Amino acid sequence: VACTVEMAPLGGRGNDDSSDSDAARWAWEVAVLDEIQLLTDQARGTAWTRALLGTQVRVLNLCGAAEPSGLVPLLAQLAECCGDVMEGASEVKKRLVPLNLEERVLSGLGELRPGDCLVCFSRRDVLLAKAELEQLGFRPCVVYGSLPPEVRSEQ
């Protein structure tokens, strides 16, 4: 299941202590919660907290920026309060490809160069941007969540 954190399926399958099998407590064996730093975001932090504390999973992998500076200790404290163990918090991955931001706002899509990434926040905007880029002679690759997996792979 891949979804926004607000849509994350929570709850286990009969997570009472009377279950014969420990495995019956878990809805998932492994889950990944990306952008964990948004736990501290005023607007969306509640959704990350809900997913972090409500996902019934045996192993929960957390990914994201190590900011703010108190995030890792906060996560460790939350794990301890829940009776869980947090492992590998010091694993910092190095960005393999540099992320370069433009110095100024672009005046239009015609200023994009091959290799640039354009991020849109609605399906409509994705399709409009793709059509405009094609009119400008670009061959854009489009990937968004509701595409079937085989189409995303092809893109």
Side-chain angles (χ1 to χ4, degrees), residues 1 9 15-16 18-19 31 52 69 79 82 93 96-97 101 106 112 119 121 123 125 133 141 147:
V1 174
N15 51 358
D16 62 350
S18 63
S19 173
L52 176 67
S69 61
C82 294
K93 305 296 182 192
L96 298 177
V97 177
L101 301 178
L106 301 179
L112 292 174
V119 179
F121 292 96
R123 180 175 184 250
D125 288 346
L133 289 168
C141 169
L147 286 174

Side-chain angles (χ1 to χ4, degrees), residues 8-154:
L10 304 179
R13 298 179 299 226
N15 51 358
D16 62 350
D17 291 335
S18 63
S19 173
D20 291 342
S21 166
D22 185 53
R25 294 180 54 219
W26 310 110
W28 312 99
E29 185 67 26
V30 176
V32 177
L33 184 55
D34 197 7
E35 303 293 345
I36 190 62
Q37 74 275 7
L38 291 174
L39 182 83
T40 62
D41 182 78
Q42 285 188 338
R44 296 184 71 199
T46 302
W48 260 263
T49 303
R50 180 178 160 270
L52 176 67
L53 298 177
T55 302
Q56 299 296 313
V57 62
R58 185 177 305 279
V59 176
L60 180 59
N61 293 296
L62 305 177
C63 305
E67 295 121 14
S69 61
L71 180 62
V72 174
L74 172 64
L75 293 170
Q77 185 178 12
L78 285 170
E80 184 180 339
C81 287
C82 294
D84 293 323
V85 177
M86 191 167 98
E87 300 172 357
S90 63
E91 292 180 31
V92 177
K93 305 296 182 192
K94 181 181 175 187
R95 179 177 290 280
L96 298 177
V97 177
L99 179 62
N100 300 314
L101 301 178
E102 291 291 330
E103 299 275 330
R104 62 179 181 77
V105 176
L106 301 179
S107 63
L109 296 181
E111 291 189 58
L112 292 174
R113 297 179 307 257
D116 284 352
C117 175
L118 179 64
V119 179
C120 300
F121 292 96
S122 74
R123 180 175 184 250
R124 179 182 172 275
D125 288 346
V126 167
L127 297 175
L128 287 172
K130 179 181 186 288
E132 185 176 341
L133 289 168
E134 287 172 339
Q135 287 177 347
L136 293 169
F138 288 97
R139 293 183 52 214
C141 169
V142 174
V143 178
Y144 60 92
S146 63
L147 286 174
E150 57 276 3
V151 174
R152 284 197 303 265
S153 295
E154 181 183 320

